[in-house]
Amino acid sequence: MPTTTRHGIPIHYEVTGQGAPAVVLLHSYLCSGYMWHNQVDALARGCTVVNIDVRGHGRSGPVPEAFPLGDLVGDVVQVLDVEGISSAVWVGLSIGGMVALHAALSAPERVRALVILDSDAGAERGASRLKYAVMAAVVRRFGVGPMMKPILRLMFGRTTLRSRPGLVAEWAARFEQVDVSSMLNTLPALVRRPDLLPRLGEIRVPTLVLVGQEDRTLPPALSRRMPAAIPGSTLVEVPGAGHLSVLEEPERLTALIEGFVAEVTASG
């Protein structure tokens, strides 16, 4: 289980399969690389899959202080350097998608294509900033427990909350395991992210945008702004899925991502 250290923080990742193009997976805030467990084997049948635990999450080291979103791009680039990978298809959900978009603009030579799931290219909305500030204050004082119900409503769609209680309970337990200091120190990277909307026209790689139709955290209207600005990109809205769409509709999302990567491979 490889680890590389950047800024004094161990970054854990797993490499599965072999072949080109490489695919790098970037999970949501509060999750870990395990979020992609339904997709890894399918993608690894023809590609080298690099599944990263974002700093402060999963088996990566804790973060002692707040950091900008760009630091997460640097973490991924270092992992790719260690593995000798010059460029990859960046597949990111939520904050992972924001990191992938940032990379496409700040390190375009490292990005072969993009799959952006349940994410946003714009700056955080004022109302959401206030909401997250209140939630962070409660977590800082009382821990994650009192905020679990609203967290679950943000992470899962109505259909999943109603019909898949086992999945919801599993991830509630996982959210409770996230280091609170790391959780709070990662939040500024999310809520103070740069507004990339004016620059999306500069992205010249194949791009697939996916969003759950029941996503409350980053609603579909935000995802629709991306294909309108990125030349040649495609949008698919997934019924019955909320923010963590790859967990809620795994077969549908796996097929969409796998099909897109196959198209990228065939295009050379």
Side-chain angles (χ1 to χ4, degrees):
M1 295 183 181
T3 300
T4 186
T5 299
R6 184 168 181 269
H7 297 170
I9 301 169
I11 307 299
H12 170 88
Y13 62 97
E14 295 182 350
V15 180
T16 309
Q18 57 185 352
V23 176
V24 61
L25 301 176
L26 299 169
H27 60 79
S28 171
Y29 180 61
L30 301 185
C31 294
S32 69
Y34 181 72
M35 188 193 78
W36 301 104
H37 71 278
N38 293 305
Q39 288 75 44
V40 169
D41 288 346
L43 293 171
R45 284 195 287 262
C47 300
T48 302
V49 178
V50 183
N51 190 8
I52 299 175
D53 283 346
V54 170
R55 59 166 70 183
H57 293 69
R59 285 170 282 185
S60 288
V63 288
E65 58 187 10
F67 58 89
L69 188 71
D71 279 3
L72 298 180
V73 177
D75 293 347
V76 178
V77 169
Q78 179 163 308
V79 169
L80 296 180
D81 286 344
V82 169
E83 293 300 319
I85 297 170
S86 59
S87 68
V89 179
W90 291 50
V91 181
L93 190 148
S94 192
I95 193 172
M98 297 167 192
V99 172
L101 289 166
H102 197 300
L105 294 167
S106 63
E109 71 283 359
R110 310 308 297 264
V111 180
R112 174 70 181 84
L114 293 170
V115 182
I116 308 299
L117 302 98
D118 299 279
S119 194
D120 184 18
E124 188 61 83
R125 296 156 293 168
S128 293
R129 283 194 181 207
L130 178 59
K131 175 178 67 178
Y132 294 139
V134 171
M135 293 177 71
V138 173
V139 169
R140 184 176 290 110
R141 185 176 179 94
F142 301 108
V144 178
M147 284 290 100
M148 187 54 65
K149 186 172 288 188
I151 288 172
L152 293 173
R153 284 178 52 82
L154 287 170
M155 290 300 202
F156 294 106
R158 296 183 302 276
T159 300
T160 299
L161 290 170
R162 181 179 66 250
S163 63
R164 301 186 66 189
L167 177 69
V168 174
E170 174 191 353
W171 281 90
R174 291 181 179 276
F175 297 151
E176 287 182 337
Q177 294 170 7
V178 179
D179 175 69
V180 170
S181 293
S182 294
M183 182 189 304
L184 296 173
N185 286 330
T186 302
L187 190 59
L190 180 62
V191 300
R192 299 175 190 166
R193 63 184 182 270
D195 182 4
L196 301 181
L197 286 171
R199 298 188 59 196
L200 291 184
E202 300 173 30
I203 296 177
R204 300 295 179 180
V205 296
T207 301
L208 174 63
V209 181
L210 304 172
V211 62
Q213 288 184 347
E214 298 178 8
D215 190 340
R216 295 184 183 94
T217 302
L218 297 171
L222 301 179
S223 287
R224 292 176 195 136
R225 302 187 297 183
M226 286 182 265
I230 300 173
S233 58
T234 302
L235 169 70
V236 179
E237 298 185 25
V238 182
H243 192 59
L244 296 184
S245 55
V246 294
L247 294 172
E248 299 177 74
E249 289 290 334
E251 293 182 3
R252 172 72 167 144
L253 270 296
T254 300
L256 287 166
I257 298 169
E258 189 178 15
F260 176 76
V261 173
E263 291 178 4
V264 171
T265 303
S267 71

